[in-house]
Amino acid sequence: MLVCAPCKLSEACALGCSQPGKCQRLRVVAIAVMLMHARSRNYVSESEACKLESIPLDFGDYHPLKPITVTESKTKKMNRKGSTSSTSSSSSSSMLDPLSSVLDGTDPLSLFAAAADPVTTTATMDSTRKKRDKDDSSAVGSDFEPWSSKRGEILARYTTTEKLSIVSGSFSRKATTTGSAVSEKVRTRLEELDDLEEGSQKELLNLTQQDYMNRIEELNQSLKDAWSSDQKVKALKIVIQVSFTFSFCTELPSLVVVFCFFLKPGKLVYERILSMCVDSRVPLPDNFSPESVNDTAKETCLNWFFKIASIRELIPRFYVEAAILKCNKFLSKMGISECLPRLTSMIRGIGDPLVAVYARAYLCRVGMEVAPQLKESLNENFFDFLLTFKQIHGDTVQNQLVVQCVEIPLYLTLYSPAIDWILQCIAYRAPEVLLTEMMERCKNLGNNALLLNSIMSAFRAEFIAARSMDFIGMIKECDESGFPKHLLFRSLGLNLALADPPENDRLQILNEAWKVITKLKNPQVSYSLFCFTTHSKREVNTVLADVIKHMTPDRAFEDAYPQLQSIIQKVITYIYDFSLLFSVEKFLPFLDMFQKESVRVEVCKCIMESFIKHQQESTKDPVILNALLHICKTMHDSVNALTLEDEKRMLAALINGFIKMVSFGRDFEQQLSFYVEARSMFCNLEPVLVQLIHSVNQLAMETRKVMKGNHSRKTAAFVRACVAFCFITIPSLSGIFIRLNLYLHSGQVALANQCLSQADAFFKAAVSLVPEVPKMINVDGKMRPSDTFLLEFLCNFFSTLLVVPDHPEQGVLFLVRGLLNVIQDYTWEDNSDDKVRIYTNVLHLLSAMTQEVYIYHVDKVDSNDTLYGGDSKFLAEINKLCETVIAQILDHLKTLGKEETLKRQSQLALYLFNTILAHGDLRNNKLNQLSVNLWNLAQKHGFADTSTMVTTLEYIKKRSKQPEMSHFTDLALRLPLQSRT
């Protein structure tokens, strides 16, 4: 019987040893027998035998990636009561579910539970309500920008440090009981309303903007709590209290915060009345009529309107009634259309024009949500505002501004958010004729800059661009003291950037605009938008030159970095032909104005992102290369010890994108010179060095391709220069596995180009680097064991060593021996089997080396099968190496005989069994017996995977039917399947 390593136990060892005293001697014999009988391989015939049999198939209309089509078929099925129901059937199956066919698609128990469970009923109503709300807003598309998206921008732009005030009532968050008598409830409500009118509220002063927002949020939560506890009067009082705040608004942030409060109470009231319309748990249809609303709901709705009508103050009455404007649907079909003009007229009574314009903006917001089709009412709201617009310049407002020390330009900008919103609502999907009417009304008001700016911001860019000359004429006639002209030109320029003006007007537009722009004392860089009306290099250069002229004195550019960045973004957005862009004389001097390093780096990143995005073909243009090298150098030099790893990766990715786009065609020497220059410029970014190594390796392979593998003296020297570049650069990298893989990759490239001594140098360097692999490595910011990565690398390395010829002065298999010595000395984890798995993979390599013809070769490189020609001394050296390797494997299997490691022993035994099965000649009886012992060991302790063992045994039986594999039949009979019991 075949035996294993020495056993000191009295019983048989794991491999079936029954003669402990002879173990050491017999082990060597077993190894020799095994290695002398490696199976001869015919790789060509094996490859043909493993190919899948091709069978022509007629799919017809069927395709596995074709989506499944489901069709509706009306099939009459008798249910338990004999009624009919319709069921849907899929075209992919003719079988109908016998359980679902009689249920009409609905479980009767679920129907019964839903009828009895009020929670389910409420959920059904909520889903219906959400669907109805979605349908109601369907008239306003996704291209309409809601007010909620503007709120944060406005608050950030108009932040104030002034102290704000708010009117606060004595409201607590404590809910009261709801079980009082009706008469007491009515009396309490009346007393609460009277208490409110008698002035129980107080004014909270000296609030910061954040405190103000927090207080409004508290009131919002109090409103929800009061409503959920059925304290409707208290909820109304909270709404009235917040509306009182408008009477004390002195800053725009307070207006905006309160502006966003009033949608919630209107939604609460509407949903309450809607819930009262549900009859027999059947909700109202989506487009219900007032006739379908029951009397209780109508009475409640009227009650709410009567309560609001009793509010004495104008502003609270307006906001609360506008909030519940949608409730008019319960009373009359024309209710909303009749109320909108009346609410518009109510705003005339608000004395403060700033408060009034935000009231009109709120009415537009409600109108767009409730009745977006009533555009005429919204238009009248704005025209009504124009009639009172002169009030802004009246003595009352001017005197108040003097008292508050507010300048008129700053004061006018406070109107912009409200006017912009009103005009956005009016201009949404409006015809072009409405723009003409707005322009005429603006002219009648003396071309007011505030209105003109809002008009250009609201209407479609195509409409504005078509009337560019008209707008320029109106801008020239505006009074600059009230509203800066540069903002008007900026708004016009933004429209021209989105839509092209008439072809014949482009140059005239630029000239007319530039006459005004160059005369401004504080020209804003956003004027550069006008240069894209012609998209001409000359105009762009003129714009940049003028900006440099205005921004250079007194280093004014330091205060305008955001605007200067805007110019760069617009330039590279519309001129992405970089050969044209970098030929603009003033472009690089314009970049020099970015003196602040962080801003300068951001600009360079923006340029590189545009280059990578728009540059479709590789380039060798010296203008582009010099400019982008300068830009990439700027990004690289910004890296220091404090730079985050994510930032380094981003910068490296941009630089790598540039390097990949550089190509000098067949001028390979110039290409290599570029890579050498790039290495010296970007030495601090490791991913860039890695990319350069890959690029140089690719350059060497392209040279080989051009020469078809037959290098001349010149090309041979060139590829050696490429190999030297990689060999010098790799040691400067810090990542251990990056260096290992690059040594292997570069060695493969050197081998493919017949640089044998250089390839040996790469492989020796990789072998000497393996002992330096740490136990743990950093992978994506987390420490991971390195064993898996090392195992993967070594397997790839062994695959390469198969075709590496032996050095005539180094001895047989000197690289394989050196690598095995390193693996032997490497300190592996105690509970790891990776070392044995590597040794088993080495057996695959050594078995392949014994073949007369190797499975693969490198073109024009003689591997050992050619050099040795199956020499017996060479095979003997392989056998000796195999003896050492298998001795290590068997010793390790013996050490795993403990109870806690039996599962690992089973897995490794099966792994070695599969190796013998694939590479050994099992016609040898002793090798056959060794495989049987390994099979038994794998399942001896019940840790083998039964499905794997069954599959393996089926494979052996299948192989036994092939020619010259009849000995597998006897082997299959000797491999029992042991049960776990």
Side-chain angles (χ1 to χ4, degrees):
M1 180 177 290
L2 196 60
V3 292
C4 69
C7 293
K8 298 181 180 179
L9 302 177
S10 59
E11 59 183 359
C13 74
L15 290 179
C17 175
S18 60
Q19 304 177 16
K22 300 181 180 180
C23 284
Q24 181 65 31
R25 179 177 60 82
L26 292 178
R27 183 184 66 167
V28 177
V29 174
I31 295 171
V33 169
M34 174 185 173
L35 296 174
M36 289 168 55
H37 292 82
R39 182 165 63 90
S40 298
R41 309 288 294 273
N42 188 332
Y43 294 115
V44 176
S45 61
E46 289 184 21
S47 176
E48 291 294 331
C50 292
K51 286 184 178 180
L52 296 177
E53 182 181 0
S54 59
I55 301 177
L57 296 177
D58 184 13
F59 288 101
D61 293 334
Y62 171 76
H63 190 279
L65 300 182
K66 185 178 180 180
I68 297 176
T69 304
V70 178
T71 59
E72 292 289 336
S73 62
K74 300 297 182 178
T75 307
K76 291 187 177 182
K77 293 289 182 180
M78 299 300 296
N79 61 12
R80 295 176 184 177
K81 295 184 179 181
S83 61
T84 61
S85 62
S86 65
T87 60
S88 62
S89 62
S90 172
S91 61
S92 60
S93 175
S94 60
M95 294 294 294
L96 292 176
D97 184 3
L99 298 180
S100 62
S101 61
V102 297
L103 297 180
D104 196 18
T106 308
D107 182 4
L109 296 180
S110 300
L111 284 177
F112 178 77
D117 188 1
V119 177
T120 308
T121 305
T122 305
T124 304
M125 292 172 56
D126 290 342
S127 62
T128 305
R129 184 182 302 115
K130 291 179 181 179
K131 182 178 183 298
R132 180 186 294 109
D133 292 342
K134 181 180 180 180
D135 293 339
D136 289 343
S137 60
S138 59
V140 178
S142 58
D143 55 336
F144 183 79
E145 183 181 8
W147 174 266
S148 57
S149 63
K150 294 177 174 290
R151 178 177 182 267
E153 178 186 352
I154 295 172
L155 289 177
R157 180 180 177 186
Y158 295 95
T159 301
T160 179
T161 58
E162 298 292 333
K163 299 300 182 181
L164 308 177
S165 62
I166 186 172
V167 177
S168 178
S170 55
F171 300 130
S172 64
R173 297 279 296 277
K174 181 179 179 181
T176 60
T177 60
T178 58
S180 59
V182 177
S183 59
E184 293 180 359
K185 184 182 295 187
V186 173
R187 186 184 308 108
T188 302
R189 290 180 175 180
L190 293 176
E191 290 175 355
E192 288 177 350
L193 288 175
D194 292 340
D195 183 57
L196 175 65
E197 293 180 356
E198 290 173 3
S200 64
Q201 69 276 11
K202 60 181 179 179
E203 184 178 1
L204 299 180
L205 304 175
N206 298 325
L207 298 178
T208 65
Q209 179 173 329
Q210 187 60 44
D211 293 338
Y212 193 97
M213 296 173 63
N214 293 340
R215 179 54 183 162
I216 293 297
E217 183 59 32
E218 290 178 5
L219 291 173
N220 194 5
Q221 187 60 42
S222 298
L223 172 65
K224 296 178 183 177
D225 294 344
W227 193 268
S228 61
S229 60
D230 202 26
Q231 300 181 69
K232 302 304 185 293
V233 173
K234 180 178 178 180
L236 179 60
K237 287 177 62 178
I238 295 174
V239 175
I240 296 173
Q241 172 188 327
V242 176
S243 63
F244 265 117
T245 306
F246 274 108
S247 302
F248 300 91
C249 286
T250 58
E251 296 289 343
L252 182 60
S254 59
L255 283 168
V256 175
V257 172
V258 180
F259 185 91
C260 300
F261 175 85
F262 284 95
L263 187 62
K264 183 65 177 178
K267 185 177 181 180
L268 293 174
V269 174
Y270 182 83
E271 291 178 353
R272 171 175 168 77
I273 300 175
L274 185 64
S275 64
M276 301 174 67
C277 298
V278 178
D279 188 14
S280 300
R281 297 184 177 87
V282 178
L284 288 176
D286 297 336
N287 298 319
F288 65 88
S289 61
E291 290 77 12
S292 59
V293 179
N294 56 43
D295 294 338
T296 303
K298 287 184 177 181
E299 183 178 357
T300 304
C301 184
L302 284 172
N303 187 30
W304 275 102
F305 281 109
F306 290 155
K307 288 179 182 178
I308 295 170
S310 64
I311 300 175
R312 297 176 182 177
E313 289 74 12
L314 174 61
I315 294 179
R317 185 168 70 252
F318 165 78
Y319 273 97
V320 179
E321 183 174 356
I324 68 169
L325 180 64
K326 190 177 181 180
C327 295
N328 283 279
K329 293 175 61 177
F330 299 107
L331 302 177
S332 172
K333 291 183 178 180
M334 305 299 295
I336 297 178
S337 60
E338 292 174 353
C339 287
L340 277 175
R342 180 172 55 81
L343 291 173
T344 300
S345 301
M346 287 175 61
I347 302 176
R348 298 176 185 176
I350 301 177
D352 191 327
L354 185 60
V355 177
V357 74
Y358 276 89
R360 298 185 184 278
Y362 179 73
L363 188 60
C364 285
R365 175 188 179 184
V366 175
M368 289 298 291
E369 292 176 351
V370 174
Q373 70 279 5
L374 300 178
K375 282 294 186 66
E376 291 297 328
S377 298
L378 300 182
N379 295 349
E380 290 300 325
N381 182 26
F382 180 71
F383 296 151
D384 203 12
F385 162 72
L386 294 181
L387 295 176
T388 61
F389 185 77
K390 295 182 179 180
Q391 181 185 5
I392 298 175
H393 301 281
D395 295 339
T396 302
V397 175
Q398 297 297 326
N399 294 337
Q400 189 66 26
L401 294 179
V402 173
V403 174
Q404 297 179 0
C405 299
V406 178
E407 297 180 357
I408 186 65
L410 178 61
Y411 176 70
L412 289 178
T413 58
L414 302 180
Y415 285 83
S416 293
I419 299 177
D420 289 347
W421 171 255
I422 296 173
L423 283 172
Q424 177 186 330
C425 297
I426 294 175
Y428 179 67
R429 297 180 179 177
E432 191 172 0
V433 65
L434 183 60
L435 174 60
T436 304
E437 183 179 358
M438 290 294 178
M439 293 175 65
E440 291 298 325
R441 290 179 179 266
C442 187
K443 290 180 181 179
N444 295 336
L445 292 174
N447 290 328
N448 184 272
L450 178 65
L451 295 177
L452 187 59
N453 185 72
S454 296
I455 291 174
M456 289 188 292
S457 301
F459 282 87
R460 292 174 56 183
E462 294 82 359
F463 296 166
I464 304 297
R467 294 169 170 76
S468 300
M469 292 302 301
D470 296 335
F471 279 104
I472 288 179
M474 296 173 67
I475 293 173
K476 291 166 63 176
E477 296 176 4
C478 286
D479 183 9
E480 189 179 5
S481 60
F483 198 92
K485 281 188 178 181
H486 68 265
L487 296 180
L488 297 176
F489 278 107
R490 179 183 183 277
S491 297
L492 179 58
L494 288 172
N495 283 283
L496 297 181
L498 297 174
D500 293 331
E503 184 71 28
N504 298 332
D505 295 343
R506 293 184 178 183
L507 186 59
Q508 185 180 359
I509 291 172
L510 180 61
N511 292 333
E512 292 295 330
W514 211 249
K515 291 178 184 178
V516 181
I517 293 174
T518 52
K519 295 179 182 179
L520 298 176
K521 297 180 181 180
N522 184 23
Q524 298 295 313
V525 295
S526 298
Y527 297 172
S528 62
L529 295 168
F530 280 100
C531 69
F532 305 113
T533 56
T534 58
H535 298 186
S536 169
K537 169 185 172 181
R538 177 173 174 270
E539 280 73 26
V540 172
N541 193 63
T542 302
V543 171
L544 299 182
D546 194 75
V547 173
I548 294 173
K549 175 182 176 182
H550 283 85
M551 304 305 292
T552 302
D554 301 326
R555 299 179 67 86
F557 54 79
E558 293 181 347
D559 299 326
Y561 282 141
Q563 292 82 0
L564 293 172
Q565 286 181 266
S566 177
I567 282 188
I568 292 293
Q569 292 174 351
K570 296 300 180 182
V571 168
I572 61 180
T573 299
Y574 291 94
I575 304 181
Y576 42 80
D577 182 355
F578 281 80
S579 60
L580 173 64
L581 179 63
F582 289 125
S583 65
V584 175
E585 180 182 357
K586 295 298 181 180
F587 183 75
L588 292 180
F590 182 83
L591 289 181
D592 291 337
M593 288 197 299
F594 294 96
Q595 300 293 324
K596 188 176 180 180
E597 184 181 24
S598 60
V599 179
R600 188 181 184 89
V601 172
E602 288 299 322
V603 171
C604 292
K605 288 165 58 177
C606 185
I607 295 174
M608 291 306 303
E609 288 172 356
S610 178
F611 174 80
I612 295 172
K613 178 180 178 181
H614 295 107
Q615 188 71 21
Q616 301 296 328
E617 299 179 353
S618 56
T619 180
K620 61 178 181 178
D621 190 330
V623 176
I624 295 179
L625 297 186
N626 291 332
L628 291 184
L629 278 174
H630 172 72
I631 291 173
C632 291
K633 179 66 173 174
T634 300
M635 295 191 299
H636 171 269
D637 293 345
S638 67
V639 176
N640 52 46
L642 300 178
T643 306
L644 298 176
E645 290 299 323
D646 288 343
E647 180 70 12
K648 290 181 181 179
R649 280 194 290 268
M650 180 183 298
L651 295 177
L654 294 175
I655 297 175
N656 286 340
F658 162 63
I659 291 174
K660 294 176 183 178
M661 296 302 298
V662 177
S663 174
F664 290 88
R666 289 293 184 90
D667 193 350
F668 292 158
E669 293 183 353
Q670 183 66 28
Q671 188 81 31
L672 182 60
S673 299
F674 169 78
Y675 292 145
V676 172
E677 181 182 3
R679 181 180 61 181
S680 64
M681 296 178 67
F682 310 128
C683 56
N684 291 334
L685 289 175
E686 189 166 299
V688 178
L689 297 179
V690 173
Q691 176 59 45
L692 288 172
I693 293 172
H694 285 306
S695 298
V696 171
N697 281 329
Q698 183 179 1
L699 184 62
M701 296 305 294
E702 289 179 357
T703 306
R704 177 182 181 275
K705 181 179 180 181
V706 171
M707 300 301 296
K708 298 181 180 179
N710 299 313
H711 284 297
S712 64
R713 179 178 299 178
K714 181 178 181 181
T715 59
F718 176 76
V719 295
R720 285 196 294 270
C722 293
V723 170
F725 175 97
C726 299
F727 193 78
I728 294 172
T729 309
I730 292 175
S732 63
L733 304 176
S734 60
I736 184 73
F737 282 102
I738 292 177
R739 280 183 284 162
L740 284 173
N741 287 299
L742 285 177
Y743 274 133
L744 178 59
H745 182 218
S746 300
Q748 293 168 346
V749 171
L751 193 64
N753 285 279
Q754 300 105 51
C755 301
L756 301 183
S757 59
Q758 287 83 356
D760 283 344
F762 278 113
F763 297 142
K764 288 179 181 179
V767 171
S768 63
L769 191 59
V770 170
E772 301 179 15
V773 175
K775 295 294 180 293
M776 305 292 290
I777 59 173
N778 190 321
V779 179
D780 296 332
K782 297 181 179 180
M783 299 305 295
R784 307 283 188 184
S786 62
D787 293 352
T788 304
F789 300 95
L790 182 58
L791 178 62
E792 179 183 0
F793 166 75
L794 291 175
C795 290
N796 292 334
F797 201 178
F798 287 135
S799 299
T800 303
L801 292 180
L802 174 64
V803 294
V804 176
D806 283 341
H807 195 283
E809 300 177 359
Q810 299 290 340
V812 178
L813 303 179
F814 76 101
L815 284 175
V816 177
R817 294 177 184 274
L819 187 56
L820 286 175
N821 290 333
V822 169
I823 295 172
Q824 175 66 25
D825 297 336
Y826 186 80
T827 304
W828 300 88
E829 295 290 339
D830 294 336
N831 59 347
S832 173
D833 298 322
D834 290 335
K835 180 179 179 181
V836 176
R837 294 184 183 277
I838 292 173
Y839 282 153
T840 308
N841 289 334
V842 172
L843 294 179
H844 303 169
L845 169 65
L846 297 177
S847 174
M849 284 183 168
T850 62
Q851 305 301 316
E852 293 184 3
V853 179
Y854 290 171
I855 186 172
Y856 48 82
H857 295 85
V858 177
D859 188 27
K860 295 181 174 56
V861 174
D862 292 332
S863 299
N864 287 338
D865 58 341
T866 303
L867 295 179
Y868 294 108
D871 183 73
S872 58
K873 293 183 179 180
F874 174 66
L875 295 179
E877 291 294 331
I878 295 179
N879 289 343
K880 291 179 182 179
L881 199 55
C882 284
E883 177 182 347
T884 304
V885 172
I886 294 185
Q888 294 288 334
I889 297 175
L890 296 179
D891 286 342
H892 185 78
L893 277 175
K894 180 181 177 182
T895 62
L896 298 179
K898 301 177 182 180
E899 183 178 356
E900 62 273 10
T901 57
L902 291 177
K903 183 175 182 180
R904 292 164 53 193
Q905 185 189 60
S906 173
Q907 294 174 345
L908 290 179
L910 183 60
Y911 192 38
L912 182 57
F913 170 83
N914 288 329
T915 297
I916 297 174
L917 186 66
H919 301 282
D921 186 359
L922 293 176
R923 287 174 293 189
N924 179 271
N925 293 331
K926 294 184 178 181
L927 188 60
N928 195 301
Q929 181 61 44
L930 176 60
S931 64
V932 172
N933 292 342
L934 289 171
W935 176 271
N936 293 332
L937 178 62
Q939 56 183 348
K940 179 177 181 180
H941 300 284
F943 288 102
D945 183 25
T946 304
S947 61
T948 302
M949 306 298 285
V950 171
T951 303
T952 305
L953 188 57
E954 291 177 352
Y955 166 77
I956 295 174
K957 294 177 179 179
K958 183 178 180 180
R959 288 287 303 274
S960 66
K961 299 178 181 179
Q962 298 178 358
E964 300 181 359
M965 290 293 177
S966 59
H967 58 283
F968 271 44
T969 303
D970 297 333
L971 176 63
L973 296 175
R974 300 179 64 193
L975 300 179
L977 287 175
Q978 299 178 5
S979 63
R980 293 184 179 274
T981 58

